[in-house]
Amino acid sequence: MLIGWFSFFREILIWGRDIAVIFFSAALLDITVYLIFNKFPRIHNTIKKIFLLISACMFLADLFAIYYYQLPFNSEMLNVALMTNFREGSEFIQIYLSDLHFWLFFIAIGFILMLFMKIFRLILSNKILACFLLIICVSTGGWAAVREFRIGGGVHKIKSSIAPFRIASMLNDIHQSLQKTNEVMSRIPEVKITKNKSSIPYVIFVLGESTTRNHMSIYGYNLITSPNLAKCQNEGRLYVFNDVVSPHALTILSLQKIFTFYRYGSAGEWFTYANLFSILKEAGYYTMWLSNQEMSIGGIVTKFYSGLCEQRKFIEDFKDNITIAVTTDEAILPLLDKSLEIEHAKNFYLIHLIGTHFHYYKRYPKSFEKFYTQDEDKTGGLINMSVRQKILRAQYDNAILYNDFILGEIIKRFEDKNAIIIYISDHGEEIFDTMNLLGHNDGVLSPNVIEIPFIIWLSEKFAASYPELEARIASSVHKPYMTDDMIHTVLDIMQIETHGYDPAKSIINASFDITRPRIYSGHIYDKEKGLIAIQ
């Protein structure tokens, strides 16, 4: 109950601030239009009506998107709308017109707006109340706008508050994205395979999100958050690498390096380096990208990689899955089951989870709400944490527990196959463990934001088929590693070599360079000492 009230009041404050800025921005726009066209009343009124119509359409679009997708109308949705043909558009509309909740939602919104307008007119009919309302709105809006300018986002906030400017901004974003996409796709390097002894029927790469290993019980966390993985480990089929870090605490920057030969210190653009998906396709693998993240997450990087795969499915794709809102990772399992119905000689799956990304309480169903604030006293977080901090940590641990369940479900689907499953997270998360901070970015100097899980699970058939490879994996779990060299390890496992491949960058190879410094945000990472500033 406390969690719900806290979230509710926080959202109310955010909405109040944004509404104040919108009111102030709209007033400024109206004054500007009046000063320019006051001598031409018809032009002034026409422009006001056009702006009002555009604003009303944007308002309805925002309501629709927030109700179905839990976020306002954005560039990605507009891009989908522009790319949709008449038949797809009519099917899209028919789906929602037949949804009772759709009609109830907009009837409720209409009733609230009518009530608000009546109250507003009643206030305006009283000069004292009208003046009081005007003073409150102008002062609040002015204060909010000044505050936005002070923190550096004022111009953007005001522009995004005015519907015509917002649409223009979204169209500009789409144009720039298309230009960048065309540039990236036109510069895909040629793949030249020098060795291909690949024979593994199923290679599954599970990419997690915002998961630090320090909240997983298989890495020593005090709460039991990894029971399924622990069971696999006890059975001798799971190998847990205990000294692995991400090069970045941001998804886009991490993904640029994980699946290409582009690494820390490399020159040029990431997309000019050979990538894993092009290499595997050339080596005869059927590649699949299954994601529970909306396509725009990860930006052009995600679009680029998924576009190279022969099959791609997004749970949160606004075009292909228009009736689905924010979902837990369990939604990925039916897609995986369907993909497994069609067997190929050699299969590579990339499964992209939403994992433990903020907001944590949205990442698991109620049945996984196991940990509570009282559990935080034994997990080594900050001393004297507030109730809010304890709640957020409990939510994060619940999300970790659910993530363990999802990994267990994925493993079950390959137990009877000759398969290897690799799991890492794109980066970690600081959750009041070492500092009074929640979240991640490259400016956060906490080991938690880069200390990530890296595990490899082998089926019994795989272990029987590749005993030498299993031995190499087992002997490498304590080596220090950074995932900007992950492509080398994957190719080494699959016995594929190409220009750019280096065995010294594969953690399971006898030639692995164990002395390489792991640099993050101007600091060298050491497992025992943490982050040490480069002098």
Side-chain angles (χ1 to χ4, degrees):
M1 180 63 72
L2 184 59
I3 298 174
W5 279 110
F6 170 75
S7 300
F8 175 75
F9 282 119
R10 182 183 60 189
E11 294 300 327
I12 288 294
L13 289 174
I14 293 172
W15 289 342
R17 181 200 66 193
D18 290 344
I19 289 171
V21 174
I22 290 170
F23 178 86
F24 189 72
S25 306
L28 288 177
L29 178 64
D30 190 57
I31 292 170
T32 303
V33 172
Y34 175 76
L35 290 175
I36 296 173
F37 298 105
N38 66 321
K39 293 182 179 180
F40 308 96
R42 289 185 179 178
I43 296 177
H44 178 226
N45 290 330
T46 301
I47 291 175
K48 284 183 66 175
K49 288 178 181 178
I50 292 172
F51 280 178
L52 181 62
L53 177 62
I54 294 173
S55 299
C57 291
M58 183 59 72
F59 176 71
L60 292 174
D62 279 337
L63 288 178
F64 176 85
I66 289 170
Y67 180 73
Y68 280 100
Y69 304 119
Q70 284 72 61
L71 72 165
F73 192 73
N74 59 27
S75 301
E76 187 70 22
M77 298 181 200
L78 180 59
N79 190 32
V80 169
L82 293 175
M83 292 189 299
T84 301
N85 58 40
F86 178 78
R87 181 184 61 80
E88 290 172 330
S90 62
E91 291 175 353
F92 180 93
I93 292 171
Q94 288 172 16
I95 288 174
Y96 289 105
L97 290 181
S98 61
D99 184 0
L100 178 60
H101 294 94
F102 173 84
W103 289 106
L104 292 175
F105 174 72
F106 277 95
I107 289 171
I109 291 295
F111 177 77
I112 292 170
L113 288 176
M114 287 175 60
L115 184 62
F116 177 78
M117 289 302 295
K118 285 188 177 184
I119 295 172
F120 190 69
R121 285 174 183 171
L122 183 63
I123 292 173
L124 291 181
S125 65
N126 186 305
K127 291 183 179 180
I128 296 176
L129 289 176
C131 289
F132 182 68
L133 177 64
L134 182 63
I135 291 170
I136 289 178
C137 290
V138 171
S139 59
T140 306
W143 168 80
V146 169
R147 180 182 178 279
E148 293 296 333
F149 273 106
R150 283 180 175 174
I151 63 176
V155 174
H156 173 75
K157 176 68 73 173
I158 289 178
K159 282 185 177 180
S160 64
S161 299
I162 302 172
F165 293 160
R166 184 176 163 199
I167 292 175
S169 177
M170 287 194 290
L171 290 172
N172 182 58
D173 289 344
I174 292 170
H175 175 67
Q176 291 184 354
S177 178
L178 288 173
Q179 282 189 319
K180 189 66 176 179
T181 300
N182 291 335
E183 179 189 0
V184 170
M185 297 306 291
S186 67
R187 297 177 64 183
I188 300 175
E190 182 181 352
V191 173
K192 293 183 179 179
I193 292 180
T194 57
K195 171 187 172 183
N196 184 9
K197 293 185 177 180
S198 60
S199 59
I200 304 172
Y202 292 93
V203 179
I204 304 91
F205 195 107
V206 183
L207 180 62
E209 171 69 56
S210 303
T211 304
T212 177
R213 67 173 183 250
N214 300 321
H215 277 250
M216 300 174 68
S217 53
I218 57 170
Y219 282 96
Y221 191 58
N222 286 342
L223 301 181
I224 306 301
T225 56
S226 314
N228 290 293
L229 294 179
K231 180 175 179 292
C232 293
Q233 188 178 26
N234 292 335
E235 292 170 352
R237 297 274 69 85
L238 187 80
Y239 295 95
V240 179
F241 293 75
N242 57 30
D243 190 7
V244 177
V245 295
S246 170
H248 295 283
L250 291 170
T251 300
I252 293 176
L253 298 180
S254 293
L255 292 188
Q256 287 177 358
K257 296 179 174 66
I258 290 173
F259 298 117
T260 70
F261 290 127
Y262 182 71
R263 74 198 299 246
Y264 177 84
S266 295
E269 296 271 18
W270 63 273
F271 52 82
T272 62
Y273 290 75
N275 67 82
L276 180 64
F277 304 97
S278 295
I279 293 171
L280 295 185
K281 187 175 181 179
E282 187 70 19
Y285 272 84
Y286 186 85
T287 53
M288 287 157 277
W289 185 287
L290 308 178
S291 175
N292 191 29
Q293 296 206 24
E294 195 270 311
M295 192 187 293
S296 65
I297 304 296
I300 186 63
V301 185
T302 300
K303 293 180 183 178
F304 174 70
Y305 290 146
S306 62
L308 294 172
C309 294
E310 289 159 298
Q311 181 187 135
R312 60 175 179 170
K313 293 291 182 182
F314 289 82
I315 295 295
E316 293 296 332
D317 191 312
F318 294 110
K319 190 170 183 177
D320 293 336
N321 302 280
I322 51 182
T323 60
I324 301 176
V326 174
T327 57
T328 59
D329 279 326
E330 207 161 346
I332 206 78
L333 300 177
L335 291 184
L336 179 57
D337 292 336
K338 189 172 182 180
S339 296
L340 285 169
E341 291 175 0
I342 303 175
E343 294 188 9
H344 302 271
K346 296 190 292 185
N347 307 267
F348 181 85
Y349 291 84
L350 189 291
I351 302 176
H352 195 186
L353 305 177
I354 195 68
T356 57
H357 194 282
F358 192 79
H359 298 277
Y360 312 128
Y361 68 91
K362 293 182 179 180
R363 305 301 163 225
Y364 55 87
K366 286 289 184 181
S367 58
F368 279 81
E369 206 166 61
K370 178 179 178 180
F371 303 114
Y372 304 94
T373 55
Q374 60 265 31
D375 296 320
E376 296 308 312
D377 293 332
K378 46 189 172 182
T379 59
L382 296 176
I383 299 174
N384 298 323
M385 283 186 291
S386 67
V387 173
R388 171 182 173 271
Q389 290 173 324
K390 291 181 178 181
I391 287 171
L392 288 167
R393 281 175 61 85
Q395 290 173 344
Y396 187 74
D397 289 338
N398 289 331
I400 293 280
L401 179 66
Y402 182 68
N403 189 64
D404 172 78
F405 164 75
I406 294 298
L407 290 174
E409 288 299 304
I410 293 173
I411 287 172
K412 285 179 183 178
R413 283 155 171 80
F414 293 94
E415 284 179 330
D416 63 343
K417 302 182 186 301
N418 192 334
I420 178 172
I421 297 177
I422 302 166
Y423 168 73
I424 66 168
S425 183
D426 55 355
H427 53 75
E429 189 93 335
E430 173 59 45
I431 182 79
F432 310 117
D433 282 295
T434 61
M435 59 178 66
N436 187 22
L437 188 140
L438 171 73
H440 58 268
N441 66 66
D442 273 6
V444 177
L445 296 179
S446 163
N448 273 30
V449 299
I450 58 168
E451 290 179 343
I452 58 171
F454 173 26
I455 62 175
I456 294 179
W457 175 86
L458 313 175
S459 69
E460 290 188 7
K461 288 183 179 179
F462 182 97
S465 302
Y466 306 97
E468 183 271 337
L469 180 55
E470 180 179 21
R472 286 203 285 146
I473 292 171
S475 64
S476 304
V477 294
H478 301 300
K479 295 179 183 177
Y481 191 57
M482 191 157 75
T483 54
D484 59 346
D485 283 337
M486 181 56 65
I487 187 174
H488 301 275
T489 298
V490 176
L491 292 178
D492 194 3
I493 288 172
M494 300 174 74
Q495 298 188 71
I496 299 171
E497 294 182 11
T498 183
H499 293 308
Y501 166 75
D502 184 353
K505 297 173 182 175
S506 167
I507 191 173
I508 67 166
N509 200 286
S511 303
F512 177 63
D513 180 12
I514 202 169
T515 65
R516 180 212 178 183
R518 293 174 287 174
I519 298 175
Y520 160 75
S521 193
H523 291 67
I524 295 176
Y525 171 83
D526 180 88
K527 185 180 180 182
E528 303 299 327
K529 300 177 182 178
L531 294 169
I532 306 166
I534 299 175
Q535 302 297 325

